[in-house]
Amino acid sequence: MLIVRFMINIVKEKKRCFLFFISFFSILLTACNNASNSAASNPSLPPPNVKVAQAISKEMTQWDEYTGRIEAVNEVQLRARVSGYIEKVQFAAGEKVKKGDLLFLIDNKPYKSQLNYANAEQEKAKVKYELAKNDLARAEKLVAEKAISVEEFDMRSHAVREASAALQSTQASVYAAQLNVSYCEIRAPISGRISREMLTEGNLVNIADNTVLATIVSLNPVYVYVDADESAILNYRKETHHELNGTPVSLALNGDTKTAFQGHIDYVAPKEDTKTGTIALRGVFDNPDELLRPGFFARMRVQSQAPYQALLLPDKAIGTDQSQHFVWVVKENNQVEYRKVTLGMRDNNLRVIREGVNAQEWIVIDGVQKLRPNTQVNAEHIDVATSPDTH
């Protein structure tokens, strides 16, 4: 019995201790809440300082951006049309050349010798042809007087035709020899910038090897090829109501934030690539300073709809709440209002606001991190258009 009473007393003591701790923590939490409420309602705390501005109204054009490579309008690989030793290289690597400039000179002495031989054969053929014509003229008189047989006349007539054919053959040989001599001078077929020489003076060029001696590329204008998906092509045609040729495009190089080059579409592939579901577009751009070089990576933007008037705000004024974007709008009583917005395209450090605000409302630009709904603020009005952070 003593043991049972002892155990009952222990249980009672533990229950008293547990009730004591519960009461203590309840009092502590109540005190903390009262202190917090007191601090929140303390009118002595000043409202936070923020900078506010109205959205910029600006005419915008919607663009779709694609990546591609710059290509030359014309590119020619120079190859020899006759074999021989290179006597001279008439250009400096990388320089500009004009159409018709002499670039390579191949030893032409063997081909001049062939030309001289062909000219001599042509003279022999001319003499034979003249002789055959004279014989035929005499035969015509003799056959009229019946001094020679008809068979003899036919033989002399055929001899003239044979001599004429021989003369034409030698004339063709002379022309071929002249071509070979002219092929010893390799001239620029287009204007552009030339690569380094792949064979230097003294090297043998063999046409059987099909060796590339140098490459010329034109640099003004240049092409940019990109692949657009089917839905984009349909949208462009819907917006423009005509074929895409002539649609404005702009171009930025890798790493550039601004599109400094303006051009237009001059080619649309007649067939979709069924493997990728895309259609090739080609933009053409003027390149007078030759900053754009074939092979450069580039971003080309295609105008996807007509220009429209839009409202823009700096990126730093826009907050993100999970997948939702929002801004803080300052009301007449200097309290802020949480406002959901729909974003559009980017323009440098500004963002188009499609829905959510109007041009007369003041939006918090700086100090958004310390705001909560209905927070009283001390607003400083600024002009976004003149702020250096927005450019």
Side-chain angles (χ1 to χ4, degrees):
M1 290 297 293
L2 290 174
I3 294 174
V4 173
R5 288 179 180 176
F6 179 74
M7 294 298 295
I8 291 173
N9 291 334
I10 290 175
V11 170
K12 288 180 179 180
E13 290 297 327
K14 286 185 176 182
K15 185 175 180 181
R16 290 192 190 97
C17 290
F18 177 77
L19 293 174
F20 170 78
F21 280 114
I22 291 295
S23 300
F24 175 78
F25 280 114
S26 297
I27 294 171
L28 183 62
L29 289 174
T30 301
C32 289
N33 289 333
N34 292 336
S36 177
N37 292 333
S38 175
S41 60
N42 190 352
S44 63
L45 292 177
N49 295 322
V50 296
K51 293 181 179 180
V52 298
Q54 291 179 328
I56 298 175
S57 180
K58 181 179 178 182
E59 185 180 84
M60 297 294 296
T61 302
Q62 187 70 35
W63 302 85
D64 290 341
E65 187 170 282
Y66 303 95
T67 57
R69 295 276 179 185
I70 298 173
E71 295 189 18
V73 173
N74 295 308
E75 179 176 344
V76 177
Q77 294 180 330
L78 299 177
R79 290 181 169 86
R81 302 175 76 171
V82 293
S83 298
Y85 286 93
I86 297 177
E87 282 193 341
K88 290 183 180 179
V89 177
Q90 297 284 93
F91 65 91
E95 73 174 355
K96 284 185 177 180
V97 296
K98 294 181 180 180
K99 183 177 181 179
D101 287 352
L102 179 62
L103 303 177
F104 291 91
L105 183 61
I106 297 174
D107 181 16
N108 62 4
K109 290 187 288 293
Y111 301 102
K112 281 189 174 181
S113 176
Q114 293 176 5
L115 177 59
N116 293 335
Y117 177 79
N119 283 327
E121 290 295 311
Q122 179 177 312
E123 288 302 316
K124 287 169 58 177
K126 283 182 179 180
V127 171
K128 290 182 179 181
Y129 178 62
E130 293 296 330
L131 181 60
K133 286 198 302 180
N134 292 337
D135 287 344
L136 179 61
R138 287 191 294 269
E140 287 176 347
K141 294 179 180 179
L142 294 174
V143 76
E145 298 173 356
K146 299 187 183 298
I148 61 172
S149 65
V150 176
E151 291 80 1
E152 180 68 21
F153 176 79
D154 289 342
M155 289 178 61
R156 294 187 184 186
S157 178
H158 292 160
V160 171
R161 294 172 60 187
E162 183 179 355
S164 176
L167 178 59
Q168 292 178 15
S169 176
T170 58
Q171 289 172 341
S173 297
V174 169
Y175 180 70
Q178 289 173 340
L179 283 178
N180 286 337
V181 172
S182 67
Y183 290 158
C184 291
E185 294 182 351
I186 301 177
R187 297 182 178 273
I190 62 171
S191 298
R193 197 169 287 275
I194 193 167
S195 69
R196 67 181 180 90
E197 65 276 22
M198 306 308 295
L199 287 180
T200 54
E201 295 178 3
N203 284 284
L204 176 65
V205 179
N206 190 339
I207 59 173
D209 296 337
N210 203 28
T211 303
V212 176
L213 300 179
T215 302
I216 303 175
V217 294
S218 64
L219 295 178
N220 186 29
V222 294
Y223 288 146
V224 176
Y225 286 89
V226 299
D227 295 322
D229 60 86
E230 179 181 330
S231 60
I233 295 294
L234 294 174
N235 178 64
Y236 300 153
R237 287 181 173 167
K238 178 182 177 182
E239 291 291 333
T240 58
H241 303 291
H242 57 72
E243 293 297 324
L244 292 180
N245 286 352
T247 300
V249 292
S250 61
L251 179 68
L253 297 178
N254 188 22
D256 286 350
T257 58
K258 296 183 178 180
T259 53
F261 304 92
Q262 306 299 321
H264 64 274
I265 292 175
D266 76 329
Y267 168 77
V268 180
K271 182 181 178 181
E272 180 181 299
D273 186 342
T274 56
K275 295 181 180 179
T276 61
T278 59
I279 296 177
L281 303 179
R282 184 176 73 190
V284 59
F285 297 87
D286 289 332
N287 187 31
D289 299 329
E290 297 186 0
L291 179 62
L292 304 176
R293 292 298 180 97
F296 277 10
F297 175 86
R299 293 178 288 109
M300 189 174 85
R301 300 197 306 171
V302 181
Q303 182 177 324
S304 60
Q305 70 179 67
Y308 62 95
Q309 204 68 25
L311 297 178
L312 297 94
L313 287 172
D315 277 331
K316 63 180 182 179
I318 303 168
T320 303
D321 185 5
Q322 295 180 354
S323 61
Q324 176 64 48
H325 300 284
F326 68 91
V327 295
W328 294 105
V329 179
V330 179
K331 296 182 290 186
E332 293 181 357
N333 58 1
N334 282 339
Q335 287 186 341
V336 295
E337 175 187 338
Y338 177 95
R339 184 80 60 79
K340 294 181 180 180
V341 292
T342 302
L343 303 184
M345 63 180 291
R346 187 187 301 275
D347 182 41
N348 296 327
N349 293 329
L350 299 175
R351 176 76 76 163
V352 171
I353 308 298
R354 290 192 171 275
E355 296 179 359
V357 299
N358 60 56
Q360 289 72 39
E361 292 180 311
W362 291 92
I363 314 300
V364 177
I365 304 299
D366 194 7
V368 296
Q369 298 85 357
K370 46 193 171 185
L371 300 182
R372 296 292 183 272
N374 298 323
T375 300
Q376 196 84 14
V377 296
N378 181 25
E380 175 189 352
H381 294 72
I382 65 172
D383 186 358
V384 173
T386 60
S387 176
D389 296 336
T390 61
H391 299 282

